[in-house]
Amino acid sequence: MAICQQTANLAGGCPIYRPCAKLIERVLDFQKSLCNLERRLASDQSHYHETPGDNLTANSLRCRIHRGCHEIGGNCVELEACGQRIILDLGLPLQNSSAELPCIDGLLAEDRSLLGVFVSHPHPDHYGLLEQLTTPVPVFMGKAARRLIETSAFFTRLPTLGDVQPQTYEDGSPLQLGPFTVTPVRIDHSAFDSYCLLVEAEGKRLFYSGDIRGHGGNAHLFQSVLDNPPPKIDVLICEGTHIGRIPDFAYPDEKSVADGMLEVFQQTEGMCLVWCSSQNVDRIASVWEACRRSGRNLILDLYTAEILRAVDDPSLPTPGKDGVKMFLPHNQRSRIIRENAHDILDPYSKRRIYPEYLNAAAPSSVMIFRPSMLEDLKRAECLNGASLITSVWSGYLLRNEAELTELKRMNIERFQIHTSGHATADEIRRFVAAFPESRVVPIHSENPSGFTEMAERVELKNDGEWWVV
């Protein structure tokens, strides 16, 4: 719909295309009418799903999950109190990259009852629809999360922030919007700068997990919530990615990942390639730990280097530190030329390694790698005796079978060393147990009924259904 609106604006400015603009405006009006009808139907359905004890009055805190009740990703939760509303996450569904905004008043046309959107962390399935916003609704997220999304927008095809200029929040600092008090609580997850969100309104308290885990580089944050959970939580909305799924990773935590990488680094004669997400800062830290223990240097591509610069954590490996260099792959160089963004290279002028030096550096180096860099490395003739560590979800491997097959033909041995970015079933069980008096509503799960094996107080909801906290 946002594209239609932009086309209408352009056409409306040209006399030749004004009839086209009028037609598009009618289409937009029709779409909005359908959206309003969908809202009314969803509202009617929500009343149908009410339990006898529910009382949807003006003096209650109400909740409606638009996406996530029966799928992983695309989270979107709407909360209403005193006739005013906030949204927790506005995610792009993993199975539908062309999805449009959910039908929520205030996203496509200004509605002052919508006070703000709170983003839990910088993964597209939680922020990816922000770029479609056409109204000036306030958006809130972590400081580093904003920088990560902005950095990724230049290098990748990931969703951007569009015209949104997010305000930032801080761990443990409450924000007051109308009847709502929202307190971010930092948590462990594969996305850097991730938060749970505590929402208070009308004497009720709701705790939204966002995405969590208890075995990453910030496992102490997960344990902190278990040891000191927010008290008197009426409803816990909890992610359940791994409920009912067979784990596809053999390494239980980031420490074991670093140990596994160290073993490969020590036995490899040539360059060690590590394919991992540049935004998985914990994983980059594990690679760096294994580098230091093995005595190898670390080579980062420009995208990864810029991500680490955006995170701004002195403990992380940034070019300029001993043993850390930046390599500029051809596709990133082309992007810089195309966008006339040469100044992005200024911080790395004395910290680069050029293709002609990769061959000599290979036996003592580890490189953060992705399949799009393979041709660069073949031209540099630096893959003799190399090894490849894949440290990503197994589903990504299937999308790059051609490159992996070619690497195999080159006699480059591959090792899968990975741990999940999401809580295991046991960690979810422990998380739920930390809130013994709370009703539990599953989200971000393909098997929400699996939660019923953890507690009797689990309530299964449907997308679009209003219910009282």
Side-chain angles (χ1 to χ4, degrees), residues 27 38 113 128-130 141 153 186 193 208 234 236 254 295 326 332 367 408 423 455 459:
V27 171
E38 182 179 335
S113 70
L129 294 180
L130 288 177
M141 62 179 61
R186 184 86 184 275
D193 207 24
Y208 171 66
D234 295 286
L236 168 67
E254 285 296 333
M326 186 277 286
Q332 295 177 18
M367 176 180 282
K408 186 176 181 179
E459 298 180 6

Side-chain angles (χ1 to χ4, degrees), residues 41-207:
L41 289 173
S43 179
D44 291 342
Q45 185 181 25
S46 71
H47 283 279
Y48 176 77
H49 284 290
E50 291 171 35
T51 60
D54 285 340
N55 179 24
L56 301 183
T57 69
N59 296 322
S60 62
L61 172 61
R62 299 197 301 158
C63 180
R64 174 167 61 168
I65 298 174
H66 289 268
R67 290 195 184 106
C69 287
H70 301 281
E71 66 182 293
I72 295 172
N75 279 26
C76 181
V77 179
E78 183 181 10
L79 297 171
E80 186 272 335
C82 302
Q84 297 181 301
R85 297 167 296 118
I86 60 172
I87 295 171
L88 310 181
D89 282 337
L90 198 56
L92 179 68
L94 294 175
Q95 304 301 324
N96 183 7
S97 60
S98 60
E100 295 185 343
L101 288 166
C103 286
I104 300 176
D105 290 332
L107 297 183
L108 291 174
E110 187 172 3
D111 186 328
R112 293 185 180 181
S113 70
L114 181 60
L115 304 180
V117 178
F118 289 81
V119 174
S120 63
H121 65 276
H123 274 167
D125 61 326
H126 291 258
Y127 80 84
L129 294 180
L130 288 177
E131 64 182 6
Q132 296 186 28
L133 288 178
T134 59
T135 59
V137 57
V139 174
F140 304 86
M141 62 179 61
K143 290 181 180 179
R146 174 177 177 169
R147 295 196 298 268
L148 286 172
I149 295 172
E150 291 172 339
T151 299
S152 297
F154 180 81
F155 291 97
T156 74
R157 297 178 180 177
L158 293 174
T160 70
L161 293 174
D163 294 328
V164 173
Q165 297 293 324
Q167 302 176 50
T168 58
Y169 55 58
E170 295 184 358
D171 181 25
S173 297
L175 286 87
Q176 187 76 41
L177 271 75
F180 301 99
T181 301
V182 182
T183 305
V185 178
R186 184 86 184 275
I187 196 69
D188 186 33
H189 180 46
S190 56
F192 191 80
D193 207 24
S194 292
Y195 296 85
C196 302
L197 297 170
L198 170 63
V199 181
E200 302 170 84
E202 290 295 297
K204 297 292 184 177
R205 292 162 61 86
L206 179 145
F207 197 61

Side-chain angles (χ1 to χ4, degrees), residues 249-404:
F249 51 93
Y251 292 80
D253 53 32
E254 285 296 333
K255 182 182 182 304
S256 65
V257 166
D259 292 342
M261 289 182 176
L262 172 63
E263 185 175 341
V264 175
F265 292 174
Q266 290 174 332
Q267 71 185 36
T268 299
E269 294 182 1
M271 181 178 286
C272 297
L273 307 177
V274 179
W275 176 14
C276 64
S277 168
S278 296
Q279 291 197 31
N280 190 340
V281 175
D282 281 359
R283 192 60 41 83
I284 302 296
S286 294
V287 175
W288 176 230
E289 172 66 18
C291 282
R292 289 188 294 183
R293 290 164 63 188
S294 66
R296 283 181 176 257
N297 298 321
L298 178 60
I299 300 173
L300 308 172
D301 65 299
L302 177 61
Y303 172 41
T304 306
E306 282 291 284
I307 286 291
L308 296 180
R309 199 156 73 96
V311 169
D312 193 24
D313 183 335
S315 69
L316 294 172
T318 51
K321 285 190 173 183
D322 287 343
V324 185
K325 293 286 187 180
M326 186 277 286
F327 171 67
L328 183 63
H330 176 75
N331 65 338
Q332 295 177 18
R333 179 176 179 270
S334 297
R335 181 64 185 271
I336 288 171
I337 294 172
R338 188 165 62 250
E339 301 293 334
N340 194 26
H342 298 86
D343 58 332
I344 199 172
L345 295 172
D346 290 349
Y348 307 103
S349 58
K350 298 181 180 179
R351 304 167 183 177
R352 291 177 62 175
I353 183 167
Y354 292 86
E356 57 267 32
Y357 297 106
L358 287 177
N359 182 287
S364 60
S365 297
V366 172
M367 176 180 282
I368 300 299
F369 169 83
R370 60 184 56 83
S372 62
M373 296 166 58
L374 180 55
E375 292 303 316
D376 292 274
L377 303 187
K378 286 166 61 178
R379 284 192 295 269
E381 300 181 343
C382 62
L383 295 178
N384 186 40
S387 64
L388 169 65
I389 293 174
T390 49
S391 195
V392 293
W393 172 55
S394 59
Y396 294 135
L397 304 180
L398 299 175
R399 303 174 190 176
N400 293 271
E401 284 189 85
E403 292 86 353
L404 293 176

